[in-house]
Amino acid sequence: MRLVRGYKYLKQNDKLGSIADINELLTTTEVVNLKGKVSQIIFANSIDNYEIIIRQFLLSHLCGAALNRAILCSLGKGGSKVLYPMPLVWRSIIKSQGYKVSKVSSLLWVAYVTAYLCYGIFSLIRQNVINLKSIIRQPKIAGNYVYFDGLSIDQVHCREKSKTCHNIVSWYRKSSVRIKSIDKYCHNVSQFKEDAPNDNDTMYVNSPIFPLSKFKEFLIYLILSGVAFVSLIRDVLFWRWWNILMLKEASLSLVARIHNPKTLAREYLFNNSSYIYRPLWTYEAEAKGSKITLYFYSTNCELFKNNKGVGKIMLGYQAMTWPYYLVWDKYQKDFIYRAVGKNNEVLDVGCIWFTSNNKDIDAPLNSISVFDVPPYRQTIYILLGAEIEYYVPEIVNQFLNDIQIVLNQKNISMLHKQKRVSKLTHKKYIRNIKYLNNKSNYVEIDPSVDAFQVIQKVKACISMPFTSTALIARSEGKPSIYYDPSGIVQKDDKAAHGIPILSNINELEEWVENINNE
């Protein structure tokens, strides 16, 4: 397989970091310099940020696994040319890193932009229809509300009754940064409707911006969308692809521009699963007084320090333009500053809850919780473009097996919770879990149980670098460490957030002995 051969070529030539280098260049290099050629009707209140918006859009839609695959496949075919839809600047960057780029890539790029042209026109027409229906039906506006983007059912509602539910909506209700006097917590989780939960202040809406509901507003949108369509003809003739790409985004942005500020959310909250691209409409909402916030539900977002003592910044972080960031601690705050500078408001708010189904667990009295990162199958893992091979079966299995042996020697139960259940998980890892299930002190916890539920039942916590469970345990007053059986992770890595890093089984034995004595 070309993909695997390309990866082996980079590994054998000590060049695994080359893909990360390309991603960093794509993140930090301007894609266009277009003064006077940017559509005012499309960008409006965001026009001063047009270049970074376009760059974010390209990074979130075209970078990552798909581009990494194209690069690796070119290497796996004896150094053939990279075939992938990319703007001219990106093609130049990849060439500068020693790769050849196929001329067909420019044709693929034209096809890609053309597809978005069709998508944009469809979106404008569709939004006009939605607005017209809204005028007829007059749907109820939420009132004084905040909106959470990109959630699932367990991040909105706890199906089991409990005094404490550790999801993001529950966290926000209790948080000191919560905007006061909120009537509704809105979100786009369609499953919420089907389950019909009893959270009266939580509301499903199918769009972050309510449709226009007044005939005058509808006419204004119709006129503006007509102007956008006319200007699109010029953009196509002069190949102003940046305006074409953003037409679909503008269909919702125009709605936010026309809306009465009182009908917009007091705050729009996005999580770090979608950290790169800040939607175009958020600039319009911000101009009308809405707060736009990115919160981190995880702390495992930094790359390991390499052998040069430097931890590269992951794809896209340096291109972020969120006005507000909510982070866990001073270490994550420092990471944001390193990525985007100090001209942003970054608030250290402690552990941020995210997902909880509120299932209870039975845990032996003398037990320690263990959290790992299940490895993907090789063909999936290599698409991540990791500079250091770490979340692989050999290391993850040793992490679990070492812990099981040490805890068994001290008659301590091992409560193991996998981070996720996936069809993409490596078979070697799955076989090892079956092996551990035969050990008397091993207890496998349902992955859907939230980490708080597990940590509150144990005496201490062992996590794989650098999962956020270590920080949750510390916040709960439980002894907490990262265990690295490979010795790859450097003990002074800032990504550890001050949590001790143990580098071999002897250090692990000593730590467990101290915990047992306490």
Side-chain angles (χ1 to χ4, degrees):
M1 181 183 250
R2 287 185 294 166
L3 181 67
V4 177
R5 286 199 300 268
Y7 183 78
K8 287 181 178 178
Y9 172 82
L10 290 180
K11 186 176 179 179
Q12 290 166 359
N13 290 275
D14 196 24
K15 292 183 178 180
L16 283 181
S18 66
I19 291 181
D21 291 337
I22 290 174
N23 285 334
E24 185 173 7
L25 285 170
L26 297 179
T27 298
T28 57
T29 303
E30 289 189 1
V31 288
V32 282
N33 190 354
L34 310 165
K35 290 183 179 179
K37 298 179 182 179
V38 180
S39 173
Q40 178 69 48
I41 192 69
I42 290 177
F43 286 90
N45 281 302
S46 64
I47 199 160
D48 291 339
N49 298 291
Y50 74 88
E51 190 282 326
I52 195 70
I53 293 171
I54 296 166
R55 199 189 327 162
Q56 289 172 354
F57 185 87
L58 293 173
L59 289 169
S60 62
H61 287 75
L62 285 173
C63 264
L67 177 56
N68 295 347
R69 176 187 290 276
I71 294 171
L72 291 170
C73 285
S74 72
L75 291 172
K77 199 178 178 181
S80 65
K81 297 178 180 179
V82 178
L83 184 63
Y84 195 73
M86 294 177 285
L88 178 61
V89 172
W90 281 19
R91 298 197 295 271
S92 299
I93 288 173
I94 290 177
K95 287 178 182 177
S96 72
Q97 297 302 297
Y99 295 89
K100 300 174 183 178
V101 178
S102 171
K103 291 181 180 179
V104 180
S105 292
S106 60
L107 297 177
L108 292 177
W109 171 241
V110 172
Y112 183 84
V113 176
T114 302
Y116 264 93
L117 169 65
C118 299
Y119 193 15
I121 294 172
F122 169 77
S123 298
L124 280 177
I125 296 172
R126 179 176 177 270
Q127 190 61 53
N128 272 293
V129 173
I130 291 172
N131 291 338
L132 186 58
K133 288 181 178 179
S134 178
I135 291 171
I136 297 170
R137 296 175 182 174
Q138 288 293 310
K140 183 180 178 181
I141 304 296
N144 199 19
Y145 69 102
V146 295
Y147 177 85
F148 292 86
D149 183 74
L151 300 185
S152 66
I153 185 66
D154 289 337
Q155 292 147 13
V156 175
H157 169 70
C158 282
R159 309 182 202 199
E160 305 291 335
K161 293 181 179 180
S162 173
K163 294 180 180 179
T164 304
C165 182
H166 298 99
N167 65 28
I168 184 61
V169 175
S170 299
W171 176 85
Y172 188 82
R173 284 191 180 107
K174 298 174 181 290
S175 171
S176 61
V177 299
R178 178 180 68 87
I179 292 180
K180 310 301 180 185
S181 304
I182 295 299
D183 301 321
K184 294 287 183 184
Y185 300 88
C186 294
H187 56 84
N188 60 348
V189 183
S190 58
Q191 188 184 353
F192 188 87
K193 274 197 313 183
E194 298 168 5
D195 284 9
N198 296 318
D199 294 348
N200 294 324
D201 63 350
T202 310
M203 176 180 175
Y204 162 78
V205 292
N206 61 4
S207 172
I209 306 294
F210 283 89
L212 300 171
S213 57
K214 295 181 179 178
F215 187 70
K216 181 181 177 180
E217 294 174 337
F218 169 72
L219 284 179
I220 294 172
Y221 187 90
L222 190 63
I223 293 169
L224 290 179
S225 58
V227 173
F229 182 77
V230 172
S231 67
L232 189 65
I233 298 172
R234 179 194 58 194
D235 293 331
V236 171
L237 290 175
F238 292 97
W239 192 237
R240 295 176 179 175
W241 56 262
W242 45 92
N243 294 330
I244 298 171
L245 277 183
M246 301 308 296
L247 182 63
K248 183 264 176 184
E249 300 297 306
S251 65
L252 189 58
S253 182
L254 285 172
V255 179
R257 196 185 315 175
I258 297 168
H259 249 302
N260 185 322
K262 294 181 180 179
T263 61
L264 298 175
R266 296 284 303 280
E267 182 173 14
Y268 290 96
L269 294 114
F270 299 79
N271 64 68
N272 62 299
S273 287
S274 53
Y275 65 92
I276 299 178
Y277 174 63
R278 177 185 167 187
L280 193 65
W281 61 263
T282 62
Y283 294 87
E284 304 302 326
E286 184 184 20
K288 293 198 170 187
S290 296
K291 187 176 181 180
I292 311 298
T293 301
L294 180 76
Y295 63 91
F296 283 76
Y297 65 82
S298 168
T299 58
N300 193 15
C301 51
E302 297 183 58
L303 299 175
F304 296 127
K305 288 173 63 174
N306 57 27
N307 53 14
K308 297 178 183 178
V310 178
K312 294 180 181 177
I313 295 179
M314 206 178 294
L315 169 70
Y317 276 109
Q318 291 162 289
M320 295 190 302
T321 54
W322 304 93
Y324 297 94
Y325 298 86
L326 302 181
V327 298
W328 288 47
D329 57 23
K330 63 179 182 180
Y331 296 95
Q332 196 165 39
K333 187 175 185 176
D334 177 65
F335 166 70
I336 298 298
Y337 284 153
R338 282 186 281 126
V340 299
K342 295 189 176 182
N343 296 323
N344 302 274
E345 187 166 349
V346 184
L347 300 178
D348 170 2
V349 295
C351 295
I352 299 176
W353 305 343
F354 193 54
T355 299
S356 176
N357 58 21
N358 230 34
K359 290 181 180 179
D360 201 5
I361 60 168
D362 292 322
L365 291 175
N366 191 27
S367 57
I368 289 178
S369 58
V370 176
F371 300 90
D372 65 355
V373 180
Y376 288 122
R377 296 199 304 261
Q378 186 188 32
T379 51
I380 303 300
Y381 176 78
I382 61 182
L383 292 177
L384 302 178
E387 182 179 10
I388 298 174
E389 283 190 319
Y390 194 81
Y391 300 125
V392 293
E394 292 73 21
I395 294 178
V396 181
N397 286 345
Q398 187 181 353
F399 167 84
L400 294 174
N401 295 343
D402 283 359
I403 294 171
Q404 186 276 321
I405 291 170
V406 171
L407 296 188
N408 189 51
Q409 291 171 350
K410 303 298 180 183
N411 295 316
I412 299 174
S413 294
M414 172 183 175
L415 267 64
H416 172 220
K417 179 187 175 301
Q418 299 177 44
K419 189 173 184 179
R420 68 181 72 87
V421 174
S422 172
K423 295 179 181 178
L424 304 178
T425 303
H426 204 290
K427 290 182 179 179
K428 288 183 179 179
Y429 175 84
I430 295 172
R431 286 197 295 268
N432 193 57
I433 295 300
K434 291 179 180 178
Y435 162 78
L436 288 171
N437 267 300
N438 293 320
K439 302 297 181 180
S440 60
N441 72 321
Y442 178 83
V443 180
E444 186 176 7
I445 302 298
D446 184 344
S448 66
V449 175
D450 74 67
F452 281 92
Q453 293 288 98
V454 180
I455 290 170
Q456 288 171 348
K457 297 288 181 72
V458 299
K459 63 195 296 184
C461 178
I462 304 173
S463 303
M464 195 166 198
F466 285 120
T467 54
S468 55
T469 50
L471 278 69
I472 294 173
R474 182 172 63 185
S475 72
E476 292 291 308
K478 305 293 177 76
S480 177
I481 53 103
Y482 287 120
Y483 177 52
D484 168 36
S486 68
I488 291 175
V489 180
Q490 299 183 39
K491 289 182 179 290
D492 62 347
D493 198 325
K494 291 181 179 180
H497 292 242
I499 300 290
I501 301 171
L502 308 186
S503 299
N504 55 61
I505 195 168
N506 292 331
E507 293 183 2
L508 180 63
E509 288 174 341
E510 183 179 350
W511 181 80
V512 171
E513 178 66 30
N514 291 335
I515 295 298
N516 216 25
N517 290 337
E518 291 175 6

